[in-house]
Amino acid sequence: MSHNLPHDPLIIAGREFRSRLWVGTGKYKDFEETRLAIEASGADIVTVAVRRVNITDKNSENLLDYIDPKKYTILPNTAGCYTVEDAVRYSRLARAAGVSDLVKLEVIGDERTLFPDTAGLIEAAKILIAEGFIVLPYTNDDPIVAQKLMDIGCPAVMPLAAPIGSGLGIRNPYNLKIIMETVKVPIIVDAGVGTASDAALAMEYGADAVLMNTAIAGAKDPIMMATAMRYAVDAGRLAFKAGRIPRKLYATASSPIEGML
Amino acid sequence: MKIIVNGVEQEFNSPLTVTSLLHELNLRTEQVAVEINLNILDRSHFPNWNLQEGDKVEILSFIGGGSPQPKD
């Protein structure tokens, strides 16, 4: 399908990306399934976490043997960080381990909802931006916070659709629409997508991209779902650009009246 | 000499550079971050940085992750 699409790159901080579907690499059965699902998704940005290496199992495999950093843009996240200090520390470690200044910044506020601590997020983002990081912040569907993140220099903002891994879809379409209208950097809808229609809807609203992990990795057939998500994001993007018809209460005939008996 | 690597105390022969530590642990030197006593060591210093008795060394790398996950 993709070869029929018009050239419509996503540009973030001067970098050009082809796909508008970003995917996480967690929760898969094994690295091979991860590789196949990512390939099927068509994504060119993949998120990873930063953790201690396993020093006891010397034969443990490395994710980046399966996800080639030359082929994909590796976007490290600060998942699991509940304080500004931790998020900054993990960002610096990610930069030291990797090849770029990109970080998907997460400062989590609560274990049960995994909602972002937006005050901590803004504070951490300021520190990292001053250190030259390209900060892509995972935030709540709050238009004011999204605006502030843009104002302090985030080149994209990543509001959630619903809690991480919940599969609830877009819980607050009106807030997301306001964010898309008011925040003049790319908006990546991140987290909470359950199935293809959720992703399509986010794109139809005008999101610049969608990031997901659980919706693909947790599906019965992750590789097939990755394909479905690829089509959904492409379809939603095309529909957004094509411009939908307005909703009307009553029918409008599509067949002409002239020529009837 | 005792060094604490990723929270586990281990015995190593001195002198020991970061590069030789990574080799002894059978780890690659690329795509890892090394933090010594909470300070990140730039990769360019791996070959000539000598570890000291009691150093707390953290070696990190990338693993699968996407949307944030609950604390381990």
Side-chain angles (χ1 to χ4, degrees):
Chain A
M1 176 174 166
S2 287
H3 58 271
N4 292 327
L5 293 174
H7 182 66
D8 180 26
L10 171 63
I11 296 165
I12 292 177
R15 298 164 197 228
E16 199 173 299
F17 302 100
R18 178 181 34 80
S19 175
R20 290 171 181 275
L21 173 57
W22 301 13
V23 293
T25 51
K27 302 184 185 174
Y28 286 99
K29 189 178 71 195
D30 51 35
F31 286 150
E32 181 59 11
E33 188 184 69
T34 316
R35 183 183 73 77
L36 290 170
I38 289 170
E39 216 167 86
S41 76
D44 45 14
I45 297 182
V46 301
T47 67
V48 298
V50 182
R51 291 292 181 270
R52 279 176 167 169
V53 297
N54 188 341
I55 55 168
T56 46
D57 177 9
K58 314 238 180 215
N59 295 316
S60 64
E61 288 186 295
N62 190 315
L63 173 69
L64 296 188
D65 292 336
Y66 287 80
I67 312 298
D68 182 0
K70 290 187 195 78
K71 198 169 151 199
Y72 297 99
T73 297
I74 305 297
L75 176 58
N77 65 30
T78 61
C81 292
Y82 284 76
T83 63
V84 172
E85 292 70 32
D86 268 357
V88 168
R89 184 184 182 194
Y90 274 82
S91 300
R92 290 173 181 157
L93 286 164
R95 176 154 76 176
V99 286
S100 82
D101 299 323
L102 281 172
V103 65
K104 182 190 160 197
L105 182 62
E106 304 171 15
V107 183
I108 304 300
D110 165 60
E111 284 193 41
R112 198 156 167 229
T113 60
L114 295 178
F115 280 143
D117 167 357
T118 51
L121 181 68
I122 291 172
E123 197 184 327
K126 280 182 182 166
I127 295 169
L128 292 167
I129 288 166
E131 293 180 15
F133 280 88
I134 299 166
V135 176
L136 310 180
Y138 163 68
T139 184
N140 220 324
D141 54 7
D142 179 332
I144 307 303
V145 172
Q147 183 83 41
K148 286 186 179 177
L149 289 164
M150 178 190 73
D151 289 344
I152 63 171
C154 296
V157 175
M158 311 183 67
L160 55 80
I164 309 303
S166 69
L168 285 174
I170 299 172
R171 298 202 312 174
N172 197 337
Y174 305 105
N175 272 28
L176 281 184
K177 283 183 189 178
I178 291 171
I179 291 173
M180 286 161 199
E181 266 192 42
T182 55
V183 179
K184 300 298 174 204
V185 291
I187 302 300
I188 323 299
V189 171
D190 178 12
V193 164
T195 187
S197 52
D198 296 333
L201 207 54
M203 296 305 293
E204 286 173 24
Y205 288 152
D208 294 279
V210 179
L211 169 55
M212 64 184 75
N213 190 160
T214 311
I216 295 175
K220 274 188 196 156
D221 185 333
I223 296 153
M224 197 183 290
M225 186 57 92
T227 309
M229 291 299 186
R230 177 186 196 155
Y231 289 153
V233 167
D234 283 348
R237 176 67 181 172
L238 286 173
F240 169 72
K241 291 196 84 173
R244 60 154 298 147
I245 59 163
R247 288 182 173 84
K248 285 185 289 189
L249 198 51
Y250 294 100
T252 313
S254 327
S255 309
I257 305 296
E258 299 85 32
M260 289 192 76
L261 298 177
Chain B
M1 140 177 101
K2 286 193 175 73
I3 293 172
I4 300 159
V5 184
N6 287 6
V8 181
E9 192 177 274
Q10 293 197 48
E11 189 72 38
F12 293 96
N13 290 327
S14 176
L16 181 73
T17 65
V18 170
T19 298
S20 41
L21 172 69
L22 292 169
H23 284 158
E24 284 210 25
L25 295 170
N26 206 18
L27 298 172
R28 61 185 74 203
T29 53
E30 73 274 18
Q31 292 155 9
V32 295
V34 174
E35 196 188 66
I36 301 165
N37 305 325
L38 298 180
N39 295 308
I40 293 172
L41 185 71
D42 191 88
R43 185 183 312 281
S44 62
H45 297 310
F46 285 5
N48 49 31
W49 187 276
N50 282 309
L51 292 161
Q52 308 295 320
E53 171 85 28
D55 273 350
K56 284 189 179 137
V57 181
E58 295 288 351
I59 306 169
L60 296 97
S61 190
F62 297 124
I63 64 145
S67 301
Q69 284 157 39
K71 249 183 179 171
D72 299 331

